[in-house]
Amino acid sequence: MEFDTSKTALFLLLCFFLVDGSSSQRSTYIIHMDKPSMPKAFSSHHFWYSSILKSVNQAPNPNPKLLYVYDHAFHGFSVSMSETELELLKASPGFVSAYPDSAVTPDTTRTPDFLSLSPASGIWPASGYGNGVIIGVIDTGIWPENPSFSDRGIAGPAPVKWRGVCSGGDGFNSSLCNKKIIGARYFNQGIKASDPTSAVPDTARDDDGHGSHVSSTAAGNFVEGVSFFGYARGTARGVAPRARLAVYKALWGGSGVSSDILAAIDQAVADGVDIISISLGAQEIELYESPLSIASFGAREKGILVCMSAGNRGPSVRTIRSGIPWAVIVAAGTVDRWFAGNLTLGDGKTITGWTTFPASAIVRNVPVVYNQSLSGCTAAELAEAPENTIIVCHTTIGNTDFDTVMGALSNSNVKAAIIIAEETSIFRFNTFPYPGVVITAAQGQQVADYALASAAPTASIDFKQTILGKEPRAAPALSDDSSRGPGRSYEGILKPDLMAPGVLILAAFHPHLTAARIGRNIDLATDYNLLSGTSMACPHISGAAALLKAAHPDWSPAAIQSALMTTANPLDNTKQPIREQDGSVASPLGIGSGHVDPNRALDPGLVYDASVQDLVNLVCSMNFTRNQTQTIIRSSYSCSNPSSDLNYPSFVALIRAAEIGRTLTRTFRRRVTNVGNGAAAYKVAVEAPVNTTAVVRPQTLVFGKNYESKSYSLTIRYKADIEIQHREGAVIWSDQTGKYRVRSPIMVSAAADNFE
């Protein structure tokens, strides 16, 4: 039989036009299913999945190809299918989530792995990696060409709720926006007005690197093979890698003015973002004067969760300037990653030291100079040091700080340095311009013993080592520069709320700015930089909130915040209480509820919800004038029921100066909503602060169904003294199955008026 090839070609051409090429193109997706939803008619979930795929098939395409069925790490399957078929599948009973298949490799930023984010189970697959959620970032702009902002693997256009535009201005053509960066705007009228002579460009392009770093930490796409000059090599990815980004540049050269910040937040709310991430500091001003406070209240009114950095003014208490009750305030902690240089002594002993020297310097069998009388490594001492040697420096001698030693080394002729130091701040910064390693005093004694015992001591150093795990330090630890509570603008609610990774986070950066140095005059650039601070911690929480929003689109901002807080972990990876970097135990004034655990937050059991009216009642209790109050809540609300007892997942009892010497009783009332699986019973355990009694009534909460709410009270009785200025405890609700543990910290604290 012969075929008319011209007619066949015409038929195929018609098919091409009748079937949308983009909708019929096939990709591989991983589908997460609710296995208990399987109809009883099917003998196995394999047959159930096959039946679903047949029902969504779009002729004349072949049936979707089932690749794998998963029934151990999680329930679901992988399949090759079109976008049209995927949309039909989403309407099937039992469907939970879907996300594109992608390569999984070791993590560079480390934090997704440190947070136990996995493509096989937990919040990533349940949320589709944050797909459909929009994070608005208020910062220094974005470098759109960075690979972290590629839209590879992101399916579909911007969410229908999106009302923003790509208006990037000079050097930022609208074509630079994509399915990842769906919006870009800039706000500079305020800073131009403050200094008319300044040359502020009209662009959303990042001029600092900070905004790109923050944006990619929250929602950067998968990028393989990145590192910081060989350290932390692997694949970079944000906490919510399929979330969309809307960028609002309101900082210029690392600074800005309140009017621009307020305009940026206002526009983000109008554009329809779901989460707002703000990694910037503010002056110590009242809540009714702070643009961050006012704008974030308006955002919460529109159902938008606002995340803010705590600030980098620690380790003293009362260094959080903006204790905004309706924003999530984030502290910074370390991760379980150590950048190292292996120091090998001539006798074969190997010592692991700290370094981020950005090159593979050749330091092999070099003579070691150790002189007990010349151990400060001052410029004068180094001028006398022999050339092409490794000198041993002790920064505690003469109080010589690390930066001074590095500057002196860069002007010397020595080959490398072994620096004995105990400064924890060294481990927050990537600046290491001269070949060397930092070791502890105990390790330094080993070096001294060897050098003094050997007639010709030598050593070698291997750079670019990355160590993961519990050694040499437990993680997380609270960064010493992370600001501590109580919040100065409002002490009645515990701030910070929780802690997230914020020390040496690898993420996108400005490719034309200095990221590292060698010696005095060699500046190095990179697309990915290691930065530290609460600015880096904040976008981790923004990303985690985006994942929760994608998994639970009906949850309020308060419910999302509650889930993050009550499931946060107060223990480190050795199962001991989280510590300061100096080794002392950290308090909730530093870590809030603890270190974020996104997978547990996905299914928290109970949440403390709060309406906008609840926040209004809180503002009305703050003894502001009518105008001050209306500045925050506007005229839409009245102060008919003022109350400082917000339904919040933490408790603060203040000791005022006038109350010292008295015995005080404070009662808190809380309401929790069951978001677990159906009926449940919870029992309470109370960890009372020192010199305090704490009683919860009732001690058991019984829920007959999902989304049912129950109330309880916490009454604490305590002596109003400030010998122990801050005492901590916790209320912990656990269900009868042992699956859920809902923890809320208690703080009894001396109020600021005790120190005036």
Side-chain angles (χ1 to χ4, degrees):
M1 181 181 295
E2 296 182 356
F3 292 94
D4 185 337
T5 55
S6 62
K7 291 182 179 180
T8 302
L10 178 61
F11 174 78
L12 293 175
L13 185 62
L14 286 171
C15 288
F16 177 82
F17 284 108
L18 289 172
V19 180
D20 181 5
S22 62
S23 64
S24 61
Q25 184 177 358
R26 293 180 166 255
S27 301
T28 300
Y29 300 94
I30 298 175
I31 313 299
H32 193 82
M33 299 292 291
D34 178 31
K35 187 179 177 181
S37 297
M38 182 181 72
K40 295 181 179 180
F42 296 101
S43 60
S44 74
H45 58 285
H46 188 288
F47 288 115
W48 179 35
Y49 301 154
S50 298
S51 175
I52 291 174
L53 295 180
K54 289 180 180 178
S55 69
V56 301
N57 174 232
Q58 294 291 289
N61 295 330
N63 286 330
K65 184 180 180 182
L66 188 65
L67 303 179
Y68 294 100
V69 172
Y70 306 106
D71 195 37
H72 302 285
F74 75 101
H75 298 141
F77 56 92
S78 56
V79 60
S80 175
M81 64 193 320
S82 69
E83 288 187 24
T84 300
E85 291 166 336
L86 177 64
E87 292 304 312
L88 291 172
L89 187 149
K90 290 179 180 179
S92 302
F95 173 83
V96 176
S97 64
Y99 54 92
D101 197 8
S102 58
V104 178
T105 58
D107 235 338
T108 296
T109 62
R110 179 58 181 169
T111 50
D113 199 32
F114 186 53
L115 297 176
S116 299
L117 296 173
S118 167
S121 61
I123 197 169
W124 259 1
S127 67
Y129 286 56
N131 188 34
V133 175
I134 306 168
I135 302 176
V137 179
I138 316 294
D139 215 282
T140 66
I142 197 167
W143 197 268
E145 295 88 351
N146 188 285
S148 286
F149 307 124
S150 162
D151 61 2
R152 178 175 56 86
I154 299 178
V160 294
K161 60 192 171 188
W162 174 245
R163 299 181 293 275
V165 298
C166 184
S167 182
D170 297 343
F172 199 122
N173 190 284
S174 61
S175 64
L176 293 172
C177 286
N178 53 24
K179 295 178 182 179
K180 167 59 72 176
I181 306 173
I182 61 173
R185 299 179 187 263
Y186 59 90
F187 300 85
N188 58 13
Q189 295 305 304
I191 198 166
K192 282 185 174 183
S194 67
D195 184 7
T197 64
S198 62
V200 179
D202 295 328
T203 182
R205 183 172 288 278
D206 193 356
D207 61 356
D208 180 86
H210 190 274
S212 297
H213 198 281
V214 166
S215 296
S216 62
T217 299
N221 210 334
F222 298 84
V223 185
E224 299 178 9
V226 305
S227 72
F228 177 76
F229 302 103
Y231 296 94
R233 187 180 300 279
T235 297
R237 50 187 171 180
V239 176
R242 294 294 183 243
R244 315 302 178 101
L245 284 168
V247 178
Y248 302 86
K249 179 175 174 61
L251 296 178
W252 306 87
S255 63
V257 295
S258 295
S259 57
D260 290 338
I261 301 298
L262 187 59
I265 300 173
D266 187 66
Q267 188 63 59
V269 173
D271 287 346
V273 303
D274 298 294
I275 311 293
I276 294 179
S277 188
I278 306 176
S279 290
L280 55 90
Q283 296 180 351
E284 181 189 345
I285 52 181
E286 299 287 353
L287 293 175
Y288 52 79
E289 295 178 336
S290 165
L292 296 181
S293 165
I294 297 166
S296 61
F297 187 95
R300 280 290 291 263
E301 185 182 21
K302 299 296 185 181
I304 300 168
L305 183 67
V306 179
C307 301
M308 297 183 186
S309 52
N312 305 317
R313 304 172 189 89
S316 299
V317 297
R318 289 187 173 81
T319 47
I320 292 179
R321 294 180 178 177
S322 299
I324 300 173
W326 38 88
V328 182
I329 308 299
V330 187
T334 63
V335 297
D336 62 340
R337 179 175 60 190
W338 185 262
F339 300 129
N342 287 332
L343 170 66
T344 303
L345 304 178
D347 62 0
K349 182 182 294 295
T350 298
I351 297 172
T352 299
W354 169 270
T355 187
T356 54
F357 179 70
S360 297
I362 300 174
V363 184
R364 312 298 301 173
N365 300 317
V366 177
V368 173
V369 174
Y370 177 75
N371 190 325
Q372 290 173 301
S373 63
L374 298 175
S375 54
C377 284
T378 64
E381 292 171 343
L382 287 169
E384 301 296 326
E387 294 185 6
N388 298 318
T389 59
I390 299 175
I391 191 165
V392 180
C393 305
H394 204 310
T395 61
T396 60
I397 303 297
N399 294 319
T400 308
D401 64 66
F402 177 75
D403 288 339
T404 300
V405 169
M406 276 289 147
L409 285 168
S410 296
N411 289 303
S412 75
N413 292 318
V414 301
K415 190 84 169 180
I418 300 169
I419 302 167
I420 302 169
E422 300 291 346
E423 299 174 60
T424 56
S425 62
I426 294 173
F427 311 128
R428 291 200 314 269
F429 302 108
N430 61 19
T431 304
F432 214 118
Y434 206 78
V437 290
V438 176
I439 61 176
T440 65
Q443 293 170 325
Q445 189 60 52
Q446 298 178 46
V447 174
D449 293 344
Y450 162 69
L452 294 173
S454 174
T458 62
S460 302
I461 304 176
D462 295 308
F463 298 94
K464 300 187 179 182
Q465 309 296 310
T466 300
I467 299 172
L468 305 177
K470 301 175 183 178
E471 299 294 340
R473 295 171 183 263
L478 176 62
S479 181
D480 55 5
D481 68 335
S482 184
S483 292
R484 272 64 164 178
R488 291 191 178 189
S489 58
Y490 186 72
E491 296 182 283
I493 289 180
L494 178 62
K495 297 292 174 177
D497 291 296
L498 70 172
M499 184 174 76
V503 176
L504 290 178
I505 305 302
L506 186 66
F509 195 64
H510 191 305
H512 303 149
L513 295 179
T514 299
R517 288 187 171 91
I518 296 178
R520 292 174 296 166
N521 54 8
I522 301 176
D523 294 343
L524 303 177
T526 177
D527 288 332
Y528 290 84
N529 197 4
L530 291 166
L531 298 180
S532 298
T534 57
S535 284
M536 286 62 252
C538 175
H540 282 87
I541 299 302
S542 304
L547 296 177
L548 284 178
K549 181 68 175 179
H552 301 288
D554 57 332
W555 280 12
S556 69
I560 291 173
Q561 179 177 355
S562 173
L564 291 168
M565 290 175 62
T566 61
T567 59
N569 195 345
L571 306 180
D572 62 24
N573 57 1
T574 67
K575 307 302 182 183
Q576 297 299 311
I578 292 172
R579 296 184 176 273
E580 306 266 359
Q581 284 189 279
D582 66 6
S584 60
V585 175
S587 92
L589 293 177
I591 67 172
S593 299
H595 194 261
V596 65
D597 187 339
N599 287 322
R600 285 193 61 216
L602 173 66
D603 188 13
L606 304 176
V607 295
Y608 294 78
D609 209 347
S611 66
V612 175
Q613 185 61 55
D614 293 329
L615 294 174
V616 168
N617 296 341
L618 175 66
V619 176
C620 293
S621 74
M622 291 182 180
N623 296 322
F624 296 156
T625 67
R626 183 179 183 277
N627 286 342
Q628 291 167 348
T629 300
Q630 293 299 318
T631 299
I632 300 173
I633 67 173
R634 297 184 298 280
S635 59
S636 304
Y637 305 94
S638 63
C639 288
S640 58
N641 187 30
S643 173
S644 62
D645 195 14
L646 182 66
N647 195 46
Y648 209 77
S650 62
F651 304 87
V652 173
L654 295 174
I655 300 174
R656 305 288 184 187
E659 297 171 332
I660 293 177
R662 296 163 51 189
T663 297
L664 305 177
T665 300
R666 175 76 186 275
T667 298
F668 304 86
R669 291 174 175 80
R670 293 292 188 267
R671 181 182 66 258
V672 288
T673 301
N674 175 28
V675 294
N677 295 320
Y682 284 79
K683 289 188 176 180
V684 72
V686 180
E687 298 173 356
V690 174
N691 298 334
T692 301
T693 60
V695 178
V696 170
R697 291 190 175 89
Q699 295 187 334
T700 300
L701 298 176
V702 179
F703 300 88
K705 59 184 179 180
N706 206 16
Y707 292 105
E708 184 178 0
S709 296
K710 296 288 184 179
S711 297
Y712 73 91
S713 66
L714 166 66
T715 301
I716 63 173
R717 186 175 175 83
Y718 55 100
K719 179 72 175 295
D721 61 62
I722 56 172
E723 293 178 6
I724 304 176
Q725 293 182 8
H726 307 287
R727 322 170 207 167
E728 63 186 81
V731 171
I732 305 166
W733 290 98
S734 301
D735 77 315
Q736 58 192 357
T737 69
K739 178 180 179 180
Y740 299 112
R741 189 173 187 269
V742 185
R743 183 180 181 275
S744 297
I746 304 171
M747 285 299 299
V748 177
S749 292
D753 60 3
N754 286 288
F755 303 93
E756 294 177 349

